[in-house]
């Protein structure tokens, strides 16, 4: 075990990963999403895509223990279940696509997806159609595909699902529950797909400490009446992460 921990501490640019996951935890704690938009562009500069996704899934599962109980009681579990069911089908395909793309291509995809999501959200764009069961299945499937390919599980949900939720609290609870399920599905598919990396498992354990801590802080700060202030903070942090991850700026 000491050797494993020592190996984890040798992870490339670990200090930047810790800073990124800490900021991501704070944002996720008071919004329910944003972890991948912050962490993936930063981590992708130093680690292969499969390792980035594995870190996202493992640290996410740990943080979910802190915020999932409260969200469980207020989430629409039947609605979230439809999203998860579709993601079950598409996550393996997303991981398969990821395995055939080079790291630079994945980084560009991450930059485009994350950047487009941020611009759309800041501009106030949302899909305002009437989401029925088929729409939820499409959204869940798209989230699973993009998540399996890049680790970005949230963007599709942010743009196409959140606008149809009934309140800020419903948005937060449903998103937390859905992303928690995707973490489990991603981890299972990575392990059975041969993408497990023992060093990254231990690195996830190291990152989980600041992540859970800042997630709890963010959750404690959450106040539905201050949504505007939360958005400004979240958008600023996400923007910095996206810019830092653009390959041409290396």
């Amino acid at each position: 075990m000491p050797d494993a921990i020592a190996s984890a501490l040798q992870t490339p640019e670990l200090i930047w990963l810790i800073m990124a996951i800490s900021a991501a935890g704070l944002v996720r704690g008071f919004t329910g999403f944003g972890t991948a938009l912050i962490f993936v562009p930063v981590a992708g500069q130093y680690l292969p895509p499969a390792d980035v996704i594995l870190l996202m899934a493992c640290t996410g599962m740990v943080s979910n223990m802190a915020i999932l109980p409260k969200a469980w009681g207020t989430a629409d579990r039947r609605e979230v279940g439809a999203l998860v069911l579709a993601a079950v089908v598409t996550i393996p395909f997303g991981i398969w696509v990821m395995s055939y793309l080079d790291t630079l291509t994945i980084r560009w995809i991450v930059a485009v997806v994350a950047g487009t999501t941020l611009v759309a959200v800041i501009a106030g764009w949302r899909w305002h159609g009437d989401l029925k069961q088929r729409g939820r299945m499409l959204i869940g499937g798209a989230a699973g595909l993009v998540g399996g390919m890049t680790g970005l599980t949230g963007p599709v949900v942010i743009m196409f699902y959140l606008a149809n939720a009934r309140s800020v609290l419903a948005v937060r609870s449903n998103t937390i529950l859905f992303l928690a399920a995707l973490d489990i599905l991603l981890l299972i598919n990575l392990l059975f797909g041969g993408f497990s990396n023992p060093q990254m498992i231990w690195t996830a354990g190291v990152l989980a400490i600041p992540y859970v801590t800042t997630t709890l802080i963010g959750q404690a700060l959450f106040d539905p009446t201050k949504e505007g202030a939360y958005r400004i903070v979240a958008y600023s942090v996400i923007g910095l992460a996206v810019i830092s991850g653009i390959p041409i700026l290396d």
Side-chain angles (χ1 to χ4, degrees):
M1 184 176 296
D3 290 341
I5 295 176
S7 177
L9 295 177
Q10 296 302 313
T11 301
E13 303 298 338
L14 181 62
I15 185 61
W16 288 106
L17 300 182
I18 291 175
M19 292 173 63
I21 203 69
S22 297
L26 185 64
V27 171
R28 190 186 183 191
F30 58 65
T31 65
F33 63 91
T35 298
L37 287 172
I38 295 171
F39 185 74
V40 171
V42 176
Q45 300 174 57
Y46 314 116
L47 301 171
D51 287 350
V52 174
I53 299 173
L54 185 62
L55 283 176
M56 282 298 310
C58 291
T59 53
M61 289 178 65
V62 174
S63 72
N64 290 333
M65 297 179 187
I67 62 176
L68 191 57
K70 183 178 292 187
W72 180 266
T74 53
D76 185 335
R77 294 188 288 275
R78 181 177 178 180
E79 190 168 293
V80 174
L83 299 171
V84 174
L85 184 62
V88 169
V89 178
T90 57
I91 282 178
F93 182 66
I95 292 176
W96 177 79
V97 173
M98 177 271 294
S99 69
Y100 279 92
L101 296 178
D102 61 80
T103 300
L104 185 61
T105 300
I106 293 291
R107 287 186 60 197
W108 274 112
I109 293 173
V110 167
V112 171
V113 173
T116 301
T117 302
L118 181 61
V119 170
V121 171
I122 292 176
W125 186 89
R126 293 288 197 285
W127 169 261
H128 293 291
D130 182 19
L131 280 181
K132 299 185 183 300
Q133 188 72 0
R134 179 180 297 180
R136 295 187 185 94
M137 296 292 284
L138 288 173
I139 290 169
L145 175 63
V146 176
M149 185 169 56
T150 66
L152 294 171
T153 53
V156 176
V157 179
I158 293 170
M159 290 194 289
F160 292 99
Y161 173 66
L162 299 189
N164 290 268
R166 288 161 295 282
S167 68
V168 174
L169 183 60
V171 166
R172 185 174 180 276
S173 299
N174 287 6
T175 306
I176 287 173
L177 188 57
F178 177 60
L179 296 183
L182 256 62
D183 286 335
I184 296 173
L185 293 174
L186 281 171
L187 182 59
I188 291 173
N189 278 276
L190 287 170
L191 294 179
F192 282 94
F195 293 101
S196 59
N197 182 338
Q199 180 183 350
M200 288 301 105
I201 301 294
W202 285 102
T203 301
V206 172
L207 295 177
I209 297 173
Y211 186 36
V212 172
T213 301
T214 55
T215 298
L216 289 173
I217 293 174
Q219 181 174 252
L221 293 174
F222 175 68
D223 181 348
T225 65
K226 299 179 180 179
E227 181 184 4
Y230 295 145
R231 287 182 180 275
I232 292 174
V233 173
Y235 297 164
S236 299
V237 175
I238 292 170
L240 287 173
V242 172
I243 292 172
S244 74
I246 298 176
I248 200 172
L249 297 180
D250 288 351

